[in-house]
Amino acid sequence: MKKVMTTIYGIKNCDTIKKCKKWLDANEITFTYHDYRSDGIDKEMVTTFVQQLGWENVVNKRGTTYRQLSDEQKASLNEEAAIELLLEMPAMIKRPVLIHNNEYHLGFKPAQYETLFNV
């Protein structure tokens, strides 16, 4: 049996996650799905995302969770503060985080995935 080399991370009620899962299924790409709310999240995971992708990219600044932060919180954001906030509020992590063959990718765009998976 072939080992699954693709994992997506997100929250199940996210429209982008739904589109991503639908695209992967339609293209018969086997993946595992990690839901921050039901499967959990820890500092090691968030730190790895930040190290691989950059904290400025991992923080979803277009979402309602980020917009609800105080101006002070937004102004004082740095890598350490971002990691703590993302642990506290996983909905603020840009979705999906996709790990494919140990490479980290962020977001979902069909053209990006076509290239990534050679579809």
Side-chain angles (χ1 to χ4, degrees):
M1 191 169 113
K2 190 176 167 192
K3 190 169 184 275
V4 174
M5 297 301 289
T6 303
T7 304
I8 59 171
Y9 295 81
I11 52 179
K12 68 178 174 230
N13 60 345
C14 169
D15 288 340
T16 307
I17 290 292
K18 290 175 187 172
K19 289 176 197 166
C20 175
K21 289 166 83 174
K22 187 176 179 180
W23 189 94
L24 291 168
D25 285 339
N27 286 282
E28 299 178 358
I29 295 163
T30 304
F31 65 95
T32 55
Y33 171 64
H34 183 103
D35 187 294
Y36 300 129
R37 293 191 174 131
S38 58
D39 299 319
I41 188 169
D42 61 32
K43 189 166 189 166
E44 183 182 352
M45 178 192 298
V46 174
T47 302
T48 301
F49 290 171
V50 165
Q51 288 170 344
Q52 294 290 324
L53 300 161
W55 72 266
E56 301 93 335
N57 298 322
V58 176
V59 174
N60 179 8
K61 293 184 177 161
R62 295 192 350 205
T64 53
T65 307
Y66 177 82
R67 291 196 302 259
Q68 291 169 353
L69 295 178
S70 69
D71 289 340
E72 185 181 316
Q73 283 174 303
K74 291 175 190 173
S76 65
L77 261 186
N78 58 27
E79 184 172 312
E80 191 178 322
I83 290 170
E84 293 304 319
L85 279 172
L86 295 171
L87 276 168
E88 194 181 315
M89 298 178 268
M92 206 164 65
I93 300 172
K94 187 169 180 165
R95 299 178 292 271
V97 171
L98 176 134
I99 304 172
H100 177 65
N101 293 334
N102 296 316
E103 289 182 12
Y104 288 69
H105 304 273
L106 199 53
F108 170 70
K109 290 194 171 43
Q112 170 197 12
Y113 277 41
E114 286 167 15
T115 302
L116 184 64
F117 293 103
N118 297 316
V119 176

